[in-house]
Amino acid sequence: MRNAMRNAYGESAVIYALHYDASDTVCHIGRTKHLTRRMAEYRRNWDKPIHHYSVLEDIIPGALSMERESRWMLHAFKYGWPIDNFELLQGGDDRLSGWHTQEKLTLAVADFEPLTAPFEVIEPLLRYFSNTSDTRIVHWLMHCFVGEKGK
């Protein structure tokens, strides 16, 4: 299982922020195991100008990156960063479902810090994010791996 996780998510990953202008305002948060390649893809295919990017966090093992990316987005909502991650997911009949989801998440994190809260606190919120279905498995695997080392 460890090999499957490594193959899917890499040995390490990066959580990054896109900045659309010269300010340090974070406008989009993402994750990748190949930062240079991902930034080149953005420059070719992104519909918004990217002035620069920054690395928010290096993740080892890479399989934890799904959860960490979600935690960084929750952190952004808590502190009012104008990220467009959910804006890009607008859908439904009213075309506002992304905004409604962002509002729910912002209220949900009002009383705790998403970057440091225990997994049990964050886990119910992960259902709002795409590609986070493996997070429980990753936590279980990490617990098993740490348990093996401790023996």
Side-chain angles (χ1 to χ4, degrees):
M1 182 161 318
R2 256 187 293 208
N3 288 338
M5 291 287 190
R6 185 178 55 242
N7 290 340
Y9 302 107
E11 288 289 339
S12 63
V14 172
I15 308 302
Y16 59 85
L18 298 181
H19 307 268
Y20 296 155
D21 57 30
S23 73
D24 281 332
T25 302
V26 174
C27 300
H28 188 85
I29 294 172
R31 69 180 162 90
T32 185
K33 58 184 176 180
H34 303 289
L35 184 60
T36 303
R37 183 185 323 164
R38 184 67 178 127
M39 291 306 117
E41 289 170 3
Y42 272 122
R43 294 196 194 289
R44 282 192 310 273
N45 302 321
W46 200 242
D47 62 347
K48 298 179 182 186
I50 298 171
H51 186 273
H52 65 284
Y53 69 90
S54 58
V55 173
L56 297 173
E57 186 174 6
D58 289 311
I59 309 296
I60 298 174
L64 290 173
S65 65
M66 298 172 296
E67 175 190 341
R68 295 305 298 175
E69 177 189 28
S70 300
R71 284 177 178 264
W72 273 101
M73 282 190 250
L74 291 168
H75 177 83
F77 297 155
K78 179 177 181 76
Y79 293 102
W81 298 2
I83 62 170
D84 61 8
N85 293 71
F86 277 84
E87 176 185 327
L88 299 173
L89 298 175
Q90 290 178 5
D93 293 337
D94 62 2
R95 306 290 301 151
L96 297 173
S97 62
W99 286 110
H100 294 309
T101 300
Q102 185 171 330
E103 288 173 5
K104 285 181 197 173
L105 291 169
T106 300
L107 289 173
V109 298
D111 296 328
F112 65 89
E113 173 49 56
L115 292 175
T116 58
F119 179 71
E120 296 76 26
V121 172
I122 292 294
E123 185 181 19
L125 302 177
L126 294 178
R127 67 185 172 94
Y128 291 100
F129 297 90
S130 60
N131 301 320
T132 58
S133 58
D134 291 347
T135 54
R136 181 180 283 279
I137 296 168
V138 170
H139 272 267
W140 171 80
L141 182 62
M142 295 302 297
H143 177 74
C144 291
F145 182 65
V146 169
E148 287 176 14
K149 283 184 162 183
K151 291 181 181 180

